[in-house]
Amino acid sequence: MTGPGVPHELRLRPPRTNGGVGVDATPDNGERIDVPPPHEAYANAPDLRREIHRVLALEAERDGRRAGPGTGSPAGATAAERVRLLRRAALMDRLALEAPGPGPVAAAEETAGQLVLHDRRHPDLVAGPHRPDAITLAAARRYVRQEYAAWTAAGRPGT
């Protein structure tokens, strides 16, 4: 997406090329991104009610409204922030899948975009094959599913 209403960080970037062949290029509509379907990506996710409470607790820890585990190093804080963003984006995606109205879908797209932006700044934390610098806004929710499935498969590091 491009245009005056789209934040600069979220505008599409031209795909990187290697001798004229796209590298990590992702189609605008996200349909060809090979990621697990939602029922597989979220197969081991906590039920929605429990996950809502956990995400709210992570938000409260981040804002200092609740004591949480110390993260120690700045790298630990970055990883903890990513876990918070990933879990929040996955939760919003799941809620939008349950009730696909304009509000839930917009919230899912917004939180997915926030995860993509975070991962563009910290690509060393990305677990899946599709890199965040190649993800378009149209594919951000699919990217969340990719990363949630990879995070779960890795034993949920950082939690």
Side-chain angles (χ1 to χ4, degrees):
M1 296 185 138
T2 60
V6 178
H8 175 12
E9 307 87 290
L10 296 178
R11 291 185 186 153
L12 294 181
R13 298 178 183 182
R16 296 179 296 166
T17 60
N18 182 13
V21 178
V23 176
D24 292 332
T26 303
D28 288 355
N29 63 12
E31 291 176 7
R32 294 191 326 173
I33 295 176
D34 184 26
V35 300
H39 71 276
E40 289 178 19
Y42 303 130
N44 297 316
D47 66 73
L48 284 172
R49 184 182 186 115
R50 201 164 86 219
E51 189 65 356
I52 288 169
H53 288 288
R54 183 62 190 135
V55 168
L56 288 172
L58 289 171
E59 297 288 331
E61 289 169 14
R62 176 183 179 243
D63 296 344
R65 293 178 281 129
R66 177 179 170 173
T71 55
S73 71
T78 301
E81 175 67 2
R82 184 181 194 269
V83 168
R84 184 189 68 78
L85 289 170
L86 175 61
R87 290 184 79 166
R88 189 176 81 181
L91 174 62
M92 292 299 148
D93 186 40
R94 292 171 63 201
L95 291 170
L97 291 166
E98 290 283 322
V105 168
E109 290 171 352
E110 180 182 340
T111 56
Q114 291 169 356
L115 177 67
V116 169
L117 289 176
H118 182 273
D119 285 0
R120 285 179 180 170
R121 290 187 304 269
H122 306 284
D124 55 311
L125 299 174
V126 175
H130 299 287
R131 309 310 291 172
D133 60 340
I135 299 299
T136 65
L137 285 180
R141 286 178 63 192
R142 294 176 60 87
Y143 176 77
V144 169
R145 294 171 196 152
Q146 165 193 279
E147 291 302 305
Y148 192 88
W151 176 69
T152 302
R156 298 178 182 232
T159 57

